Amino acid sequence: DGWGDAGDGLVDENDISWKIRQQATVCVSAFIEKKSAVLKDKYPKSENDSRYCDAIAEFLEQRLGERDETVRLKVLTTLNSLVRQSVLYEWGSDVPDQVDEKKSGPPPLVRQKSWEVYNITTLPSTLLKQFKGASNQIKCALLDCLKEICVALQAYKPEESGEPKLVRRKSSYKYEFKDAEQEWKDSLEHVIDGIGSSDAELPLKTLDYLQTLSSVAKDPELFKNFIAKLVDAVGKAALDKKDRIKLHALRAAGALTSCVDKNDTKSAGALFSATFAALKLRDVDDEVKKAALAAIAKVIPQLSEALGGQQNDILPTLMERLKNTSTQLPALRTLRILAKSGSVDLMPSVISVADTLTTFMATQTSKPVKYESVRVLIEIVQKHGSNGSKFLPSLLKGATSHISEEDTHLCGLVLDLVGHIVESPDSKTLPKAVSESVIQKMLLFAQSPLVDSQSLTSLVQCFRSVSKSLSSFKSLLPRLEGLVNPKLPAHNVAVVAKCIASMAVAAPGAARTDYIKKALNEVKKDKEHMQQLALLSLGGIGKELDLKSESNLFDTILKSFQSESQSVKYSASFALGNITAGNLGNYIGKLLKLLDTHAEYTYLLLRAVREVVGCYYDRQAQIAPFSPEIFKALVAHTDSKEDAVRGEVAECLGGLARIEPKKTLQFLEQSLESKAAFTRSVAVGALRYAIEPKTEKVIASKLGKFLRMMRDDELEVRRQAVLSFTALLKGTQLMNSSENSTIMRDVVVPVLYTECRPNEKYIRIIDAGQIKFREDDHLPLRSAAFEALGTVVDVCPYRLNMKDFYEFTMQGVLDTDENIVLGTWEMYFRISQNPDLQASMKELAGGSSRDKIEGKTLPMDKILMKFVMKKMSKVKETNASREKDQARECLKKALLTVFKMLKTPGMDQCKDFVHLVDRVKNTKSIGTEVREALKMLQQLE
């Protein structure tokens, strides 16, 4: 059969069976990579109900003793791939605390998939036995496998994924490295030998493994007998002649910090000396300098107690690194971490550091450097603000100029900095002129239409801080109210209201009471903008404080529902909901009773209920006693004839599902069988508002029934099902599990394909006298179907047959709705940028000549021609119009996609498509759009 025996007997020189074994292993590797979704499924030829992953793991473990080194390497590579596929890596966003600019070492979060490598806990000891007599190349592959196992073991939880066959533990067992202490200690012997090897690759692989094991284990006891030798070996490697070894050694040094005992002054000092010496190196690659900074940022904070003050010598070197543009950002991140930890005394040089960073804010063109400079200053002010009389005034003056809408992210950070400055003990020494300038800038920024959520949070907190130090609530209130006028956008009215509410909460009781009375009087008046401000402010105060002492509060706000202004009505709804959230026991009964007695305000009252539910996502225990009342009130409106009411009910039920998943989702599941179409649509629509990690298990158990609602007879029910499916794809990994492969294949994908095409059955001709126009009731569902398919392509394209996908979606470029047309081209553009899907673009372009002979091509060239002609007629219009601008943008996106498609290898076989694109390029009437698309493509490449 080609495999034979792995024994050590004589080998026939003419034996080429190793080639068969090698290619068989390649096939297994390809199966693991491309069919990872089915690895959990039962292996058909198994005699003991093993899964594919079990059979493959057992087979690979048996072949570890393969006599041919080429095959043995391939076996180890395949085993590595299998372990990697068993978990999900989550690197997260680029958070400020991340010092390394590139993803090196283990990911911050690892999650177990629905299957695991069944022998993963015993595999390390098996691999370690293979080191004996192994070549350097085999050792590298073994270290790679061990490194991947270290990462995968973080997520290993038998209670979630089923206990491995070779390891029987208690159901609450979670893997700990000390459970297999001897195996990992044995591996450290190989690490010490490998770091000092003269081989080109082995030291790198060894250092990478040490970095991973140290990061994951974080156990000084495990390393206790080896730490001195490891620190010595890593220290020498950090000063090696080769930059590559320096880089990997410094990364390992940073990780090794967590495995050094804080009382081991010798090892701590040696590790610091090695990283500090590497940091002072000049003629080295920039990546080495960055790695040295990252290592220092880990060594000093964690081992400062054992360093005895020698870490204070680091500051001059850090300031020198700030002068180099390539190391500015990592140096700033390191400085911020050191300032935050308080492990380095910055006070002697704090004025110099503050001046340098203030200059960076004003002169640097790099936004990340500006942002990080502000973050460092925030940490310095927090640690040394009590002695800040010498540097705080100049710092505040320099920061004030950045409170503007030019860069809202920088503005938000600067507002945080200002807030910390004015809260410092030495804030009283700040000049009045500078303080007034700060307030003026803040008032001006509050009127900006560009205030976003991040800068708004900072602005609100800064106003609260200023009201407690530089000024007072009573003096700032009229200045903020003066900003509000009939022309101020509703968005900015809400910004001002949040600032007032925040200051009122922090103000003395008498001042706050006076304002609440004033706000209630404003609500009764007819000035719309002041009513809106007062209602939003009351809502903000009521969310944090109990307002039960205010008489007739509910009645006063309820009267605002009679206003002709939608903004006032929505503000009243917001106020009612947040005031109720501030005291559920006193107000929730009143609010729910209003739903029965004031049917004309049902929608607004439900908005208020939504505000209440949203305030308690993270405080379930406090709302639990009242959830039955809320639930009962919502159920009474599930079959409402008003779309807006049903939308609010769905969102509220989804919010309740986050609080009480089992009860609420069980009700939603039962509601799917209701005879009322509106009730079914609310039930399936509520699912997308219930999505969060703690509800995933409950949703998974009921998912099939919800997704089958895509086959419902009613359009709205089908649309809500498609929208919920899209939300599930974006927010969870449920659709990647093998349990849902059948429903994806048999229900979801066929329904989406069907709904992508216009349906004449749902088109109505409306006669409006002299004018008749078409109303397409199917359009909302069709738009949702295209969005869902675009998400499938992004998240799990392996669920699709790409030729079928193109066949059903390419008509979207000729759809009557401009949003669908643009969305289709954007979807195709994302496919053209995906290396795994690029090859499928040939199917869209018409396939090869052979496909054309066999009649298997798609008519994309004809559809593209119709599209270009249709858009050309719009672009040629002399009068500027919204439709003309839309046509130009859509045409540019289409041309960009088509030109990108031409870059796909093998596209020259699609003769008709290539010829048509050449004709389009030479069309004079759209020459401007062609040039812009080519320029965009050049910039992307």
Side-chain angles (χ1 to χ4, degrees), residues 653-900:
L653 285 171
L656 278 181
R658 295 185 178 193
I659 297 168
E660 293 187 327
K662 290 184 179 179
K663 177 184 173 182
T664 309
L665 286 167
Q666 184 178 2
F667 166 77
L668 295 177
E669 183 183 27
Q670 292 169 353
S671 299
L672 298 177
E673 300 175 1
S674 172
K675 293 182 180 179
F678 288 154
T679 300
R680 299 197 302 273
S681 70
V682 168
V684 74
L687 185 68
R688 68 178 180 274
Y689 300 110
I691 297 171
E692 71 167 13
K694 70 178 181 182
T695 61
E696 277 192 27
K697 285 187 179 180
V698 185
I699 291 174
S701 65
K702 306 176 186 299
L703 187 56
K705 199 166 184 180
F706 279 94
L707 293 182
R708 286 187 177 85
M709 298 308 291
M710 289 186 184
R711 290 177 169 173
D712 197 273
D713 294 333
E714 294 294 329
L715 275 176
E716 182 60 18
V717 179
R718 301 207 299 269
R719 185 176 79 89
Q720 293 295 338
V722 172
L723 291 174
S724 293
F725 166 74
T726 305
L728 283 165
L729 275 178
K730 293 178 178 179
T732 73
Q733 293 290 332
L734 292 177
M735 302 315 303
N736 279 322
S737 65
S738 57
E739 291 93 336
N740 295 317
S741 59
T742 303
I743 195 167
M744 279 286 290
R745 183 187 66 241
D746 298 341
V747 178
V748 175
V749 174
V751 168
L752 293 178
Y753 284 161
T754 302
E755 303 297 356
C756 277
R757 293 184 171 176
N759 194 332
E760 293 293 329
K761 175 182 175 182
Y762 298 107
I763 294 178
R764 295 178 288 122
I765 306 297
I766 298 177
D767 191 344
Q770 296 180 348
I771 302 174
K772 292 183 180 181
F773 57 91
R774 291 160 58 93
E775 185 72 20
D776 189 354
D777 294 333
H778 186 255
L779 177 59
L781 175 55
R782 195 161 70 249
S783 299
F786 271 99
E787 182 187 359
L789 282 171
T791 309
V792 173
V793 165
D794 294 337
V795 177
C796 48
Y798 57 85
R799 299 286 192 193
L800 300 171
N801 179 310
M802 293 307 293
K803 186 168 185 178
D804 292 342
F805 170 80
Y806 292 132
E807 183 180 355
F808 283 96
T809 58
M810 66 184 180
Q811 292 294 336
V813 303
L814 298 177
D815 200 279
T816 54
D817 184 74
E818 200 69 23
N819 292 325
I820 291 179
V821 176
L822 185 59
T824 304
W825 283 118
E826 287 178 345
M827 181 167 60
Y828 287 164
F829 180 71
R830 294 199 303 273
I831 294 173
S832 69
Q833 288 189 303
N834 187 333
D836 296 331
L837 298 178
Q838 280 179 347
S840 71
M841 299 296 292
K842 287 197 297 182
E843 300 282 1
L844 179 62
S848 62
S849 302
R850 180 176 178 179
D851 291 333
K852 187 173 181 180
I853 294 171
E854 295 176 356
K856 297 179 180 179
T857 60
L858 300 177
M860 187 59 193
D861 53 332
K862 297 177 183 178
I863 290 175
L864 179 60
M865 176 58 79
K866 290 180 183 178
F867 166 80
V868 172
M869 297 297 291
K870 185 178 179 181
K871 297 303 172 188
M872 279 173 56
S873 63
K874 286 283 184 184
V875 172
K876 285 180 181 178
E877 291 180 3
T878 54
N879 298 327
S881 64
R882 182 168 173 269
E883 289 79 9
K884 181 178 179 178
D885 293 338
Q886 281 184 337
R888 289 191 74 250
E889 289 303 316
C890 193
L891 187 57
K892 281 195 291 185
K893 176 60 73 173
L895 291 171
L896 176 63
T897 305
V898 168
F899 296 156
K900 180 70 175 174

Side-chain angles (χ1 to χ4, degrees), residues 93 250 390 445 488 558 794:
S93 58
L250 287 166
K390 295 181 179 179
F445 183 63
L488 189 70
L558 189 63
D794 294 337

